[in-house]
Amino acid sequence: MIPVGSRKPRRPAVDPGRTGPSARSADNVRRPGGHGSDSVRRNGGPHRGPDWASVRGSSGAGPRPGAGSRTDGGGGMDGGSDAVTATVLAFPEPPVRRRRRWVLTSVVTAVVVLGAFFAFLFFSPALALKTVTVQGNSLLTTEEVHRSLQPLLGKPLTTISDDDVAALLADRPEVAGVDVVAQPPSEIVVTIDERVPVAVLQSGDAFLLIDDEGREIGTAANRADARLPLIDGGTEAVNSAVFSTVTSVLSVLPEGVLTQLDHASASSVDSVQLQLLNGQQVFWGSAESSVAKARALEALLQMPPKDPPVKVFDVSTPTAPVTR
């Protein structure tokens, strides 16, 4: 009961600058502790905001900024605000993913390196052909080979093959095959496998060198320079039925015997005859067992001269050669 004439307690004035939920009631006052969130009603009413002090005490984390805290008009919390510290946990990358990335990086790097390497091999001017060395040739001159291979100059060595060289020499009948060896940075060595002439055909005043297939592979200035047996019949002998028989016989003769022959002839495939430069005759017979016959003839020619001299060497039976 209030005595008559006494004043009622005056309620604290509401700060005009206060806004927000804290300005709704003038009965809300701050505790002496100064925490805006610990406000209670003067009349002991229910607490309207969360007890952040108790939350901090239990969880160890400060209040979220601006989440339900009541402040004075000008200043926020007494004693400063509690900063929220966020901790980001860095989980290690899974081994499978790390391994996949490493493999992908390695593959890409290898592809780039190989691409650069092959580009250097096939397109670099440092490996361009500048020098051609020729060996193994006797019928075909070195100058003729250089002229034929002129289109290859300037091309990278890695792009030049045996087939490329053989194609450029395909019109040369002397050439049976080629072997090409690259010698970086700018040279190739061309080894020519030439066809072997086994006889001479006379065509007018010219003497044609032919191989065992009857292919013309060169010429001789005169009969003496040829140093090969002359096949009777001229150029028409190539078309005769016995021509291949005669040339097959000549092809197996050692060079030392071949150079002693003057000419060869045959009236049939079973009657091949040879004549030496000294006039001696050789009866060969057929082309069968030609290798054994060649060895027998070579042995007979190495025998000491007889008196009277031998006129005919018969090797038609190589196991029992006869001289007459």
Side-chain angles (χ1 to χ4, degrees):
M1 177 175 181
I2 304 173
V4 178
S6 64
R7 293 184 177 180
K8 294 182 178 181
R10 182 178 299 176
R11 293 181 178 180
V14 178
D15 188 350
R18 297 178 64 182
T19 60
S22 62
R24 293 176 183 174
S25 174
D27 294 333
N28 294 338
V29 296
R30 297 173 58 87
R31 284 186 177 181
H35 295 286
S37 61
D38 292 339
S39 61
V40 297
R41 285 183 179 275
R42 185 183 295 274
N43 57 8
H47 177 52
R48 305 184 70 175
D51 188 355
W52 292 107
S54 63
V55 172
R56 281 196 306 271
S58 62
S59 65
R64 291 177 297 169
S69 62
R70 299 177 185 235
T71 62
D72 292 324
M77 295 183 180
D78 294 341
S81 61
D82 296 335
V84 178
T85 302
T87 302
V88 178
L89 297 179
F91 292 96
E93 186 178 20
V96 174
R97 182 180 300 174
R98 185 167 59 249
R99 199 160 43 242
R100 186 182 302 122
R101 187 177 68 249
W102 182 85
V103 171
L104 180 60
T105 302
S106 300
V107 170
V108 171
T109 302
V111 170
V112 171
V113 171
L114 286 177
F117 176 71
F118 282 111
F120 175 79
L121 288 183
F122 288 96
F123 302 105
S124 173
L127 296 177
L129 176 63
K130 299 177 183 177
T131 305
V132 177
T133 301
V134 182
Q135 60 187 22
N137 57 311
S138 58
L139 300 174
L140 185 63
T141 67
T142 301
E143 291 74 16
E144 291 173 320
V145 175
H146 284 162
R147 283 197 298 269
S148 297
L149 301 184
Q150 188 74 24
L152 296 179
L153 295 179
K155 294 183 63 176
L157 297 186
T158 52
T159 64
I160 300 174
S161 66
D162 290 8
D163 292 339
D164 296 330
V165 176
L168 293 174
L169 295 173
D171 61 339
R172 304 300 308 190
E174 304 93 334
V175 179
V178 295
D179 180 67
V180 180
V181 176
Q183 293 188 347
S186 59
E187 181 183 3
I188 61 172
V189 177
V190 179
T191 302
I192 296 179
D193 179 19
E194 289 187 329
R195 293 185 172 92
V196 179
V198 296
V200 178
L201 293 178
Q202 186 171 1
S203 176
D205 295 333
F207 293 90
L208 310 179
L209 305 180
I210 61 171
D211 65 0
D212 58 346
E213 296 178 354
R215 184 185 291 107
E216 180 186 340
I217 58 176
T219 60
N222 52 62
R223 177 70 182 89
D225 290 343
R227 297 177 60 84
L228 292 170
L230 176 69
I231 295 180
D232 297 338
T235 56
E236 293 299 323
V238 177
N239 301 320
S240 66
V242 296
F243 180 80
S244 60
T245 302
V246 174
T247 55
S248 66
V249 169
L250 297 176
S251 65
V252 300
L253 291 175
E255 184 178 359
V257 175
L258 196 61
T259 56
Q260 297 184 52
L261 295 181
D262 182 60
H263 72 268
S265 62
S267 56
S268 68
V269 294
D270 296 324
S271 60
V272 177
Q273 295 188 30
L274 310 175
Q275 181 173 324
L276 302 179
L277 293 172
N278 60 10
Q280 293 175 312
Q281 301 288 329
V282 178
F283 182 73
W284 194 274
S286 68
E288 294 180 1
S289 304
S290 288
V291 175
K293 293 176 181 179
R295 286 198 296 263
L297 178 59
E298 185 178 24
L300 291 173
L301 293 176
Q302 293 176 353
M303 293 176 58
K306 292 184 177 180
D307 189 18
V310 175
K311 294 183 178 180
V312 177
F313 298 97
D314 188 344
V315 294
S316 58
T317 304
T319 56
V322 177
T323 60
R324 296 191 289 271

